[in-house]
Each structure stands twice: as C-alpha cells, then as structure tokens.
Amino acid sequence: MNKEYELIITIVNKGQSDKVVSASRAGGAKGGTIIFGRGTGKDEYNSLLGVEIQPEREIVLTLAASGEKAKIMGLICEYAELSVSGKGLCFSLPVTSLIGSNTLLKSTIKAPKSKANKDKNKK
Amino acid sequence: MQKRKPICEILAIIVDNANGKKIIKMLNEQNVNLQIATMGSGTADSNFGEIFNLEGNAKDVLLSMINLNDKKNIMDSLSNIFEEGKVKGIAFTLPIKSAMSNVVEMLLSSSLGGKNE
C-alpha cells in the first residue's frame, strides 16, 4: 500500500498535551507520543531572585495520513487555542518512509474484497 | 556554500521503554553514529486505561541521522525486529533539506554518496 503520512508536531505549555491528543483522536489519528522540553525564546524566560526560570513545554508527535493532516491540525488549533498568542504552535513534516504502521492502519483501512467475492459480483 | 544532493535523513523510532537498548544496539551495528535518545509518553488508547486513570506508557524516542545509502538496510533490520513481535514500535524517516557543520559529514557512515552540483 502506498499511503503518504506526515508528522504533526505540536508544542504547547506543560499540561496542555491532553487537549492536543484529544484533538488528534477527534480528527482520526490513533494518538500521539509526548516528549518534554523547555522554551528558550528570548522573551520566554523569567527570573526569580536571579535564577532563570524557563517555561516547560510538552511536544506532541502525531502521525497522520496526508489526507487527514489539515483536518487534524485544524482541530488541534481549535482545542489547544493555538491562535491565542503564547499558547503554542503546530507544524508538519513529510514522512518519507514508515514501518510498524499496522496499528495506524487498523483504524483507517478497509479489508480488500476477496477475489471470490469479486467474481461472484461479476456474475 | 556547496550544494549537494540529499545524503541523509532523520530516522525517528518510538518504542516501549524497555526496548530502546535493543534498537540502539542494532543502530550501532549499522554504524549509525549520530543518535539522540529521549524519553516520551504514549497516549493510552483504551477504555481500560481511562477507567483506571492510567498514565501513558513510557516510551523511548530515538532520533538518528542516517545515510541514504544505508537506509534500506536499516529499515529492513527494523522491520524484522518489529515483525518478530518482541518489540512493539514505529519508525519513520524525515527528509533533511539542509544541515550545517562539517561534523555532520564526519559522523555519518563512511560512504557519503553525495555529489557536488
């Protein structure tokens, strides 16, 4: 099967990844993987008593079929309120190869008709 | 700046926490020298998990830079590991449009395969 996938990367503040995962599932994705990071932007860190405090981030990686990507990203933007300044961002990267996708495909493909059924329908 | 045809891609592998070492061992055998490992959390997709309020599964997220010449062998090895059933996970590659640093070329496996344009 030659199906194209894209990796949706969403970066949000700590504790907001649940909204992103909910949005992804609503759009038809299986789920996601969450990794953790910290913001290093110029205006992002504060200092308390001379100690730098960098805001914690959650990064959600979601694999989606190319045809569903736009819908999923729209839902992520809506659920996580990404249009509001400071809430986060979402972007996608193309995937050139993919293996271990059986769990992804389970919910998105239909079983092909068997040859016997095809011949039966022709008659 | 010299322009070359793409010679490498990012390989991302997400596996259960206990199996990251097996994958790293395989990648080392395939001479993949540039690797980053980080911890992640999978999102439980079952009513069982939601009822008992279980946290997501711990995952190993491995990011590597692989030479396109070695890509087929590496993906075949990964495919075999996943098909055996002992390791459950997913692997995918992302294209790299540009990369800086001479170290990148040194860290890639020996056959570069790139050509100057």
Side-chain angles (χ1 to χ4, degrees):
Chain A
M1 166 174 289
N2 185 19
K3 191 165 185 177
E4 291 185 357
Y5 284 89
E6 299 211 22
L7 177 69
I8 300 173
I9 299 177
T10 311
I11 304 174
V12 291
N13 293 324
K14 188 180 179 184
Q16 303 297 309
S17 57
D18 288 346
K19 295 177 186 174
V20 177
V21 173
S22 299
S24 301
R25 289 210 184 115
K30 190 87 170 76
T33 299
I34 303 165
I35 58 177
F36 304 96
R38 62 178 195 273
T40 58
K42 183 182 158 189
D43 299 319
E44 283 188 331
Y45 63 82
N46 297 315
S47 64
L48 179 65
L49 300 176
V51 177
E52 267 183 25
I53 301 170
Q54 289 173 324
E56 293 182 64
R57 301 277 186 251
E58 288 177 340
I59 303 158
V60 185
L61 309 176
T62 307
L63 273 170
S66 294
E68 296 173 346
K69 175 201 75 174
K71 182 172 106 180
I72 293 171
M73 288 180 75
L75 287 169
I76 289 173
C77 192
E78 183 187 326
Y79 280 43
E81 298 175 344
L82 298 184
S83 53
V84 176
S85 177
K87 288 279 189 177
L89 78 153
C90 177
F91 57 94
S92 71
L93 298 173
V95 171
T96 49
S97 302
L98 172 65
I99 55 174
S101 61
N102 294 336
T103 50
L104 281 177
L105 293 177
K106 219 185 271 184
S107 57
T108 57
I109 61 169
K110 296 178 185 173
K113 290 183 182 174
S114 66
K115 193 182 175 189
N117 283 340
K118 280 184 186 173
D119 292 340
K120 189 178 170 185
N121 290 337
K122 279 182 185 175
K123 291 177 186 174
Chain B
M1 187 168 60
Q2 289 179 338
K3 285 190 177 178
R4 292 177 180 233
K5 288 181 182 175
I7 58 171
C8 56
E9 288 185 340
I10 295 283
L11 169 64
I13 306 169
I14 302 172
V15 292
D16 291 338
N17 199 4
N19 294 313
K21 288 181 182 175
K22 287 181 195 171
I23 302 294
I24 290 171
K25 186 182 172 189
M26 184 280 291
L27 290 174
N28 286 337
E29 287 168 1
Q30 298 275 352
N31 293 321
V32 176
N33 298 315
L34 189 57
Q35 298 177 38
I36 298 171
T38 183
M39 293 189 296
S41 175
T43 51
D45 184 24
S46 67
N47 293 331
F48 181 85
E50 287 171 6
I51 289 170
F52 290 91
N53 198 26
L54 291 176
E55 293 294 332
N57 300 323
K59 302 285 185 191
D60 276 342
V61 179
L62 308 172
L63 300 172
S64 310
M65 190 177 282
I66 60 170
N67 191 305
L68 283 178
N69 292 334
D70 301 330
K71 178 181 171 181
K72 186 181 182 307
N73 290 340
I74 294 168
M75 297 304 275
D76 286 345
S77 299
L78 280 169
S79 192
N80 290 337
I81 292 172
F82 290 151
E83 279 174 10
E84 278 173 10
K86 292 179 186 174
V87 177
K88 195 176 171 185
I90 196 164
F92 52 91
T93 56
L94 305 167
I96 294 175
K97 230 179 172 184
S98 60
M100 298 294 286
S101 170
N102 294 330
V103 178
V104 170
E105 287 196 11
M106 290 165 59
L107 287 174
L108 290 174
S109 48
S110 55
S111 56
L112 293 178
K115 291 181 182 178
N116 290 337
E117 290 184 351

